[in-house]
Amino acid sequence: MAATDLLVIITTVIVNRIPAIYSPGNFLSITPVCSFSVALIYAARDSSVWLTVTFTFDRYVAICWQKLKAKYCTQRTAGIVVSVVCTLGCVINIPWYFLHEPLYIINNVPWYCKRSDILSSFLLWVIFEWIDRILTPCLPFLLILSFNTLTVRHILAANRARRRLRSGSTEERQSDPEMESRRKSIVLLFAISGCFILLWLPYIIHYLVLRFQVGYTVTGYRDPRYILMESANMSQMLSCCTNTFIYAVTQNKFRKELKVLMKFPLYFSHSLASSRK
């Protein structure tokens, strides 16, 4: 998940957005390179989103299906799932490379890339576009929401059973580490679902607006349509980072290592000052 999220940042921001804004007309603007960059962006995005789905399913199995956990939640299974998801993410998005045409041709060199106007009249293109929107983010959202709902329901049922077992005992008034851990899991699951919904919502809204406002021309940077489009792109990029961040910071070992990393400059300065004395 961390690797695919980093790949999204590299392909979308570092390779695509920053050069297009601060260094237009460079090598990356040639149509074949631009088309390859677009296909790579979609592949990285889909891999990131679907690895989040598979990781959510892995947590669902680990919490709700103890018998299946021993067989499914293994390093070998994780390697197979990651390989399959990333491979399918690349294969499915190969057509994006062939769906663009040059915006300008200067000295027989095609520059920039735009979606071919001919494609809009092809039924196959319309089907491909709808499949792309369904696979990312509609279906992942439904799967994440479903798995998290089932997991939370299982945790709440287990908590009720645990309270009944502890009722009337001297331990009832004491804090229960197991219950506290389950409450943290619920907060984590709702945080992931909420972030995914909020950050992908502008993308869905922009796509629906695009479908109903056929022939609309953006007039400038202050145009509401342009602002919505850029907001959707920005939130989509952020969505590929938040889930990994949320999963990471909730792990005790990660927080301990992060504290060590933050304190390292102080320890290093102190040891350096002591050695000089």
Side-chain angles (χ1 to χ4, degrees):
M1 287 174 61
T4 53
D5 290 342
L6 181 61
L7 187 60
V8 171
I9 299 302
I10 293 174
T11 57
T12 307
V13 180
I14 299 178
V15 176
N16 186 272
R17 305 289 293 184
I18 293 178
I21 296 174
Y22 296 101
S23 180
N26 55 30
F27 170 76
L28 297 173
S29 301
I30 300 176
T31 302
V33 180
C34 178
S35 299
F36 178 77
S37 176
V38 171
L40 190 60
I41 289 172
Y42 277 98
R45 181 204 65 174
D46 289 357
S47 298
S48 173
V49 171
W50 279 98
L51 281 181
T52 303
V53 175
T54 57
F55 191 78
T56 306
F57 177 75
D58 185 87
R59 290 181 60 87
Y60 164 70
V61 172
I63 295 175
C64 301
W65 298 90
Q66 295 298 319
K67 294 182 179 180
L68 183 60
K69 175 182 176 181
K71 297 181 179 179
Y72 180 80
C73 300
T74 62
Q75 185 175 358
R76 180 177 180 273
T77 303
I80 295 174
V81 171
V82 170
S83 301
V84 171
V85 169
C86 292
T87 302
L88 290 177
C90 294
V91 171
I92 292 175
N93 290 285
I94 289 178
W96 285 109
Y97 178 81
F98 304 97
L99 297 178
H100 294 89
E101 62 183 11
L103 188 61
Y104 306 107
I105 297 180
I106 303 175
N107 297 327
N108 294 325
V109 178
W111 289 94
Y112 302 100
C113 54
K114 68 172 183 176
R115 294 185 187 179
S116 177
D117 297 331
I118 304 177
L119 294 174
S120 58
S121 60
F122 288 169
L123 178 61
L124 188 61
W125 158 249
V126 176
I127 295 175
F128 173 76
E129 192 175 23
W130 274 104
I131 290 176
D132 177 72
R133 298 305 187 277
I134 292 173
L135 291 179
T136 307
C138 297
L139 185 58
F141 163 69
L142 293 176
L143 291 175
I144 290 175
L145 186 61
S146 300
F147 291 141
N148 286 347
T149 301
L150 293 173
T151 303
V152 170
R153 187 176 67 176
H154 178 85
I155 292 174
L156 293 177
N159 286 347
R160 287 193 296 267
R162 191 174 180 85
R163 287 196 195 96
R164 288 194 296 268
L165 292 175
R166 289 168 56 90
S167 61
S169 63
T170 57
E171 298 179 354
E172 184 179 3
R173 298 179 182 178
Q174 300 177 0
S175 60
D176 189 350
E178 182 67 22
M179 298 277 285
E180 186 65 25
S181 176
R182 291 172 180 173
R183 279 193 291 267
K184 291 180 180 179
S185 298
I186 294 176
V187 173
L188 170 64
L189 295 176
F190 275 111
I192 293 168
S193 301
C195 287
F196 193 87
I197 295 171
L198 292 176
L199 294 177
W200 276 98
L201 188 60
Y203 180 84
I204 298 296
I205 295 175
H206 175 257
Y207 179 73
L208 295 177
V209 170
L210 189 66
R211 292 293 91 189
F212 288 104
Q213 290 185 348
V214 180
Y216 182 88
T217 303
V218 177
T219 57
Y221 294 115
R222 296 185 180 182
D223 190 289
R225 175 75 168 274
Y226 179 81
I227 296 175
L228 177 61
M229 179 181 66
E230 291 301 313
S231 300
N233 291 332
M234 181 182 65
S235 62
Q236 176 187 337
M237 298 173 198
L238 290 175
S239 177
C240 294
C241 306
T242 53
N243 285 341
T244 301
F245 178 78
I246 293 172
Y247 279 127
V249 297
T250 54
Q251 305 299 320
N252 292 329
K253 292 182 179 180
F254 178 84
R255 291 200 300 270
K256 290 179 181 179
E257 294 296 331
L258 184 61
K259 291 179 181 178
V260 172
L261 179 64
M262 296 177 65
K263 293 178 181 179
F264 176 76
L266 298 177
Y267 293 147
F268 180 76
S269 301
H270 178 71
S271 61
L272 185 62
S274 300
S275 62
R276 289 183 177 180
K277 291 181 180 180

